[in-house]
Amino acid sequence: MMESMPSFFVPKLIVCFAAAMLVLSGTAAAVPLLQGFEYGAPKSEIAVREGAVLGKEAFKDNVFLKGVQWAGYAWTAQCHFVGEGLNGVTLYSAYSRELLNRVSAHLKEQKFQLLGMIIDDKALDMISLVKLGGYEAFQKRYRELIGAKIPQKISYEWFDGNKIPQEQLNDTASLGQLLMLVPKDTLQIDVTQSATGEKLENSMLLIHFSYPVMDEMKKK
């Protein structure tokens, strides 16, 4: 059975709405997704790094790198691009409870806040659930979802708490409302446990770094 832990995946519609509501000024400066990977970095620059491998077929727009260091571990990195600019990085490793615990501890050390989750295709807005019925309401909904079916995928959604004042978090009734207020360069890190097949084999841990609001702005 997969490990349990709360989190959330932000629906694309909410992010689009948040981007539309933000009042923006000036041009976007280069911001890091993680050390050594700046948002918007040219694909041509990353593709010539030592050990870089260009993806093929369904992954032809991606660049892969091995041995990328983050949170004290070495990962395989998949670099995602829109056009020629880097817009996200996913780190991969075989899943272990120790690794998940270390990742969670590292994010807390960096002041990231866990604000929701997705269990397979069911998203939970932790802010909304807790505001409406306390933490017990979130626990109840979580137990309902994992009790109905052993999930193949659990995603935990973390946001850079350094960009979110506690007062702002206290005053919002949902994650959707919060996204209308956060700075456009608020980093989102998705931590995903994923397994396949009836026996839930080949369990992986994926860490995805993105700036969803900035992504939506570039589409305008």
Side-chain angles (χ1 to χ4, degrees):
M1 183 171 181
M2 297 194 67
E3 303 293 338
S4 58
M5 189 182 192
S7 185
F8 173 83
F9 180 78
V10 182
K12 191 172 184 180
L13 182 61
I14 292 178
V15 175
C16 292
F17 183 64
M21 294 296 292
L22 287 173
V23 178
L24 305 169
S25 61
T27 58
V31 289
L33 286 155
L34 68 160
Q35 186 174 3
F37 296 87
E38 286 190 348
Y39 183 86
K43 183 178 180 180
S44 57
E45 173 190 304
I46 294 175
V48 296
R49 293 186 183 183
E50 183 177 357
V53 176
L54 297 178
K56 298 179 180 179
E57 298 180 353
F59 302 101
K60 62 183 176 63
D61 294 327
N62 303 144
V63 176
F64 295 85
L65 293 159
K66 290 185 177 180
V68 173
Q69 295 291 324
W70 182 77
Y73 287 83
W75 307 76
T76 295
Q78 179 181 4
C79 300
H80 309 269
F81 301 86
V82 171
E84 289 298 309
L86 183 68
N87 80 315
V89 176
T90 302
L91 304 180
Y92 296 86
S93 181
Y95 170 81
S96 73
R97 174 70 177 273
E98 177 189 358
L99 182 55
L100 176 60
N101 288 345
R102 176 56 193 141
V103 166
S104 300
H106 178 74
L107 289 170
K108 290 175 183 177
E109 290 168 4
Q110 299 299 313
K111 308 301 182 185
F112 276 74
Q113 301 227 23
L114 182 61
L115 299 180
M117 69 185 305
I118 184 170
I119 300 176
D120 287 334
D121 60 346
K122 304 296 183 182
L124 282 77
D125 182 333
M126 289 179 66
I127 296 175
S128 177
L129 285 168
V130 172
K131 292 275 181 165
L132 290 174
Y135 191 68
E136 295 77 11
F138 167 75
Q139 289 180 313
K140 180 176 183 293
R141 181 58 178 153
Y142 178 76
R143 287 194 297 266
E144 289 174 352
L145 291 176
I146 65 173
K149 185 187 73 163
I150 297 177
Q152 290 189 321
K153 183 181 292 186
I154 300 178
S155 294
Y156 313 100
E157 294 294 319
W158 297 79
F159 294 83
D160 185 358
N162 296 298
K163 301 282 186 177
I164 307 173
Q166 187 61 45
E167 297 78 10
Q168 189 177 82
L169 187 60
N170 293 339
D171 291 341
T172 54
S174 69
L175 187 55
Q177 284 188 3
L178 183 66
L179 288 174
M180 297 179 201
L181 305 172
V182 298
K184 63 181 181 294
D185 60 345
T186 299
L187 182 63
Q188 178 179 337
I189 299 180
D190 308 342
V191 179
T192 301
Q193 294 173 248
S194 178
T196 58
E198 294 181 2
K199 297 181 180 180
L200 298 182
E201 298 172 324
N202 304 315
S203 186
M204 299 291 294
L205 190 66
L206 294 73
I207 319 295
H208 182 68
F209 301 76
S210 66
Y211 289 100
V213 176
M214 291 175 65
D215 286 346
E216 291 302 327
M217 289 167 48
K218 291 174 72 172
K219 296 177 183 179
K220 304 301 181 182

